[in-house]
Amino acid sequence: MYLVADINVDICAQTSCKLCTQFCPEANTILYNDQAGRDKGYKYGAAYVAVDRCKGCAQCVWVCDNMAKHNAIKMIMIDQLPNAAITDNIVYGEKSTTAVLAGPAVG
Amino acid sequence: MSLDYVKFSPGFDKFMPKEYKDMVEHGPFGKKTTVSQMGSFKEILEEHPMCAGCAMTLFIRLAMISFPNPEDTITVGTAGCGRLAISQAAIPFVYGNYGDQNGVASGLSRGLRLRFGDKPKDVVVMAGDGGMADIGFSCTLHSWFRKEKFTTIMLDNEVYGNTGGQESGMTNKGAVLKMAPLGKKFEKMDMLAMAKSAGCAYVATVVPNNPRRVEAVIKKAVLIAREIGPTYIQAYTSCNIEYAIPTDKVMEDAKNVEGDRYQFTEYVTDEAKQFLAERYGYKEFLPKPAPAVTKA
Ligand SMILES: Cc1ncc(C[n+]2csc(CCOP(=O)(O)OP(=O)(O)O)c2C)c(N)n1
Ligand code: SF4
Ligand code: SF4
Ligand code: SF4
C-alpha cells in the first residue's frame, strides 16, 4: 500500500484558497469542485485529489499547513480511503470540475 | 501548428482517450488560461516518470501553463530529467543530442520565421544545468551572441540529476555529491552575467515557490523573444533525490534558497521594455510621465 493526499472538505470549503494545486508538482492532480462545499452548506467549493495521479510527496500538506495555515490535507493509505476521485470519473466544466466518487480505490 | 492540430479528426473522437478529449474540450488552447485557474482546466502536461515531489516537475508544470500561446509553441530539450516530463505534453517537443538544444532551437526558430513570417511561433528551450552550462555551453553562448530569437530556460538543480549526482558548473562550491565526494572546488558559474554580456534582452532568476512570478517571467521572456532578441531564465529547481531533501520539505528548501542565493532578479533592456509596453500593454514599462515643473 502507499500514501496519497486526502483533503478534508469541511475545512477546505471554509476558504477554498486554491493554494495547494499551484504547488502540487503533478498536473491535474489537485482539482476544484465549486459545488463540493456548497452542497454541505459552506460558502465555497473545495479541492480534491485525483488519487491515480498523486505520487504521495506530501508537498500539498506542507503548503496547506504552512502557507495557507488551514491543515486540511492528510496523507492516507490508499486502501483506507472510503471513496476516491480518479481521472476516469472526473468531468470538466466551464470553470470547475466534478468527480463521481468511486468506492475504495484499491479493494 | 495552429488550433487545428488539437481538434479531433472526423470520426476519430470516439476512439480518443479521455485525457485527450478533456484536453481538446477543456484545455488551454486558444484561451488565456492562467496559474490562478489551476485545478479547473485540463493542463497540456500529462503523467510522466519524474520523481515524486521534484521541484523541476512543478516548474515545468507552471511553465506549460504560462506559455502565452501554447498552440503556437514548440519546446526543445535534451538528455536530463526535465525531458521526461516536457515530452509528455500536448505541444511539440524536439529532442536532440545532449547539449545541442540551443543549436537545434536556432535552426528551428529561423525556419519557423521563414515559413510563417510575422505570425509568432514560440520556441522555448528547457534543459538542465549540465546540459546547458557544461556540455551545451558553446551552443548556448553562441546562440546568444548570434541574437537568436527564442527563450532559453535553465532547469538548475545544481547537479547532474539524471545520471546519479555528478557536479556541474552550476553546483555550488563545497557541495558534496554522490559522484563528487570530495566537494566541488570551484565557484558556481555566473550564467546570468554571461547572458547579459552576450546580448540577451531579458534575463531573470526564479524559484517555483512563487507560481505567479514564474508565470509573469515566462510570459515576458517568450514575448520579448518574438521580436527583440534572446531571453534567458534561470530557475532553481532542486533535486530532492541528489540533495536528500524530504519531499514534503521541497518548498521550504525553495523558500530558504530564494531568501539566500536565488533571490528574484530581472534584467530587461530598454528596447525590450518599450516593446512590452507598446505591443503588449505592460503598464510597468510604460514611460513615466515627466515630473510636473514647479515654479521656484
Ligand atoms: C553525449 C551524452 N553524454 C552523456 C549522456 C548521459 N547523460 C544523460 S542525462 C545526463 C546528465 C543530465 O544532467 P543535467 O543536464 O544537469 O540535467 P538534470 O538531469 O540534472 O536535470 C547525462 C550526463 C548523454 N545522454 N549524452
Ligand atoms: S491549501 Fe488547503 S485550504 Fe487551500 S484549497 Fe488546498 S486544501 Fe483547501
Ligand atoms: S501528495 Fe504530492 S502529488 Fe499528491 S496531491 Fe499532494 S502535492 Fe500532489
Ligand atoms: S533525480 Fe532529481 S531532478 Fe531528477 S526527477 Fe528525481 S528529484 Fe527531480
Side-chain angles (χ1 to χ4, degrees):
Chain A
M1 278 313 123
Y2 57 98
L3 292 163
V4 291
D6 185 46
I7 298 176
N8 182 325
V9 175
D10 296 298
I11 306 176
C12 180
Q14 292 179 33
T15 54
S16 194
C17 68
K18 302 193 173 186
L19 262 187
C20 50
T21 190
Q22 296 183 19
F23 293 85
C24 170
E26 303 302 318
N28 290 122
T29 303
I30 303 186
L31 296 158
Y32 289 97
N33 179 342
D34 277 356
Q35 276 308 314
R38 285 178 213 179
D39 290 348
K40 296 181 92 180
Y42 298 107
K43 207 170 160 191
Y44 303 102
Y48 64 94
V49 176
V51 293
D52 53 332
R53 287 172 177 261
C54 172
K55 288 184 180 167
C57 67
Q59 227 169 90
C60 53
V61 177
W62 190 87
V63 168
C64 191
D65 290 357
N66 295 282
M67 293 177 78
K69 304 214 187 298
H70 292 143
N71 307 305
I73 313 183
K74 295 272 172 291
M75 299 309 291
I76 178 164
M77 284 291 170
I78 191 159
D79 62 342
Q80 303 297 311
L81 283 173
N83 48 38
I86 56 166
T87 301
D88 274 353
N89 298 338
I90 288 165
V91 181
Y92 287 82
E94 275 311 301
K95 287 193 174 136
S96 172
T97 72
T98 41
V100 182
L101 298 180
V106 178
Chain B
M1 289 233 42
S2 72
L3 282 173
D4 285 338
Y5 91 105
V6 287
K7 287 184 186 146
F8 303 121
S9 298
F12 276 86
D13 53 337
K14 54 182 174 295
F15 302 111
M16 301 310 283
K18 178 184 186 311
E19 289 85 345
Y20 193 85
K21 280 191 192 166
D22 286 342
M23 210 261 317
V24 172
E25 285 158 9
H26 300 283
F29 295 112
K31 302 172 197 155
K32 300 277 175 224
T33 34
T34 64
V35 160
S36 52
Q37 292 163 298
M38 283 165 84
S40 309
F41 65 94
K42 178 73 182 84
E43 294 167 42
I44 56 179
L45 184 62
E46 255 303 326
E47 290 179 84
H48 55 72
M50 286 181 76
C51 299
C54 175
M56 192 186 292
T57 311
L58 172 59
F59 181 85
I60 291 167
R61 180 180 174 222
L62 294 170
M64 295 282 175
I65 291 168
S66 309
F67 293 152
N69 293 52
E71 62 277 9
D72 288 313
T73 305
I74 299 184
T75 52
V76 181
T78 195
C81 289
R83 48 84 194 251
L84 300 170
I86 304 164
S87 56
Q88 304 306 311
I91 55 175
F93 170 66
V94 182
Y95 181 74
N97 286 314
Y98 192 39
D100 71 3
Q101 59 279 353
N102 277 41
V104 171
S106 301
L108 183 61
S109 111
R110 289 190 201 188
L112 289 168
R113 276 166 220 278
L114 281 176
R115 168 69 179 79
F116 294 101
D118 288 342
K119 190 167 187 326
K121 300 287 175 189
D122 300 320
V123 174
V124 180
V125 171
M126 276 193 268
D129 46 299
M132 203 167 270
D134 295 351
I135 320 285
F137 185 66
S138 68
C139 274
T140 307
L141 264 282
H142 278 281
S143 73
W144 293 341
F145 284 125
R146 290 195 307 270
K147 306 275 190 288
E148 302 285 353
K149 290 180 193 144
F150 62 85
T151 299
T152 305
I153 303 177
M154 181 193 284
L155 305 167
D156 183 15
N157 58 1
E158 307 183 320
V159 64
Y160 285 61
N162 207 198
T163 41
Q166 297 80 11
E167 71 176 46
S168 86
M170 300 299 285
T171 302
N172 290 292
K173 189 176 178 185
V176 174
L177 294 158
K178 268 188 226 140
M179 306 275 184
L182 299 178
K184 192 183 172 200
K185 294 198 169 54
F186 310 100
E187 298 291 344
K188 183 181 176 93
M189 287 166 71
D190 191 352
M191 286 293 281
L192 300 163
M194 283 186 257
K196 287 174 205 163
S197 62
C200 286
Y202 180 85
V203 180
T205 39
V206 270
V207 168
N209 66 339
N210 194 334
R212 281 170 201 242
R213 183 176 283 159
V214 172
E215 179 179 23
V217 161
I218 288 182
K219 282 211 160 73
K220 285 183 221 173
V222 172
L223 295 177
I224 291 169
R226 284 181 181 171
E227 285 191 29
I228 306 300
T231 56
Y232 175 58
I233 297 171
Q234 193 174 299
Y236 174 69
T237 55
S238 68
C239 174
N240 48 289
I241 299 290
E242 296 307 335
Y243 281 91
I245 309 165
T247 54
D248 62 343
K249 296 279 187 287
V250 165
M251 282 302 117
E252 193 176 349
D253 165 77
K255 200 166 161 247
N256 293 339
V257 171
E258 185 185 30
D260 174 26
R261 61 178 194 280
Y262 238 97
Q263 279 157 19
F264 171 62
T265 58
E266 190 179 53
Y267 158 89
V268 200
T269 61
D270 289 341
E271 193 189 4
K273 281 183 188 164
Q274 194 183 346
F275 172 75
L276 284 184
E278 287 173 5
R279 188 69 63 83
Y280 293 102
Y282 273 75
K283 290 204 183 79
E284 62 193 284
F285 298 131
L286 283 173
K288 305 260 178 303
V293 183
T294 43
K295 283 192 183 133

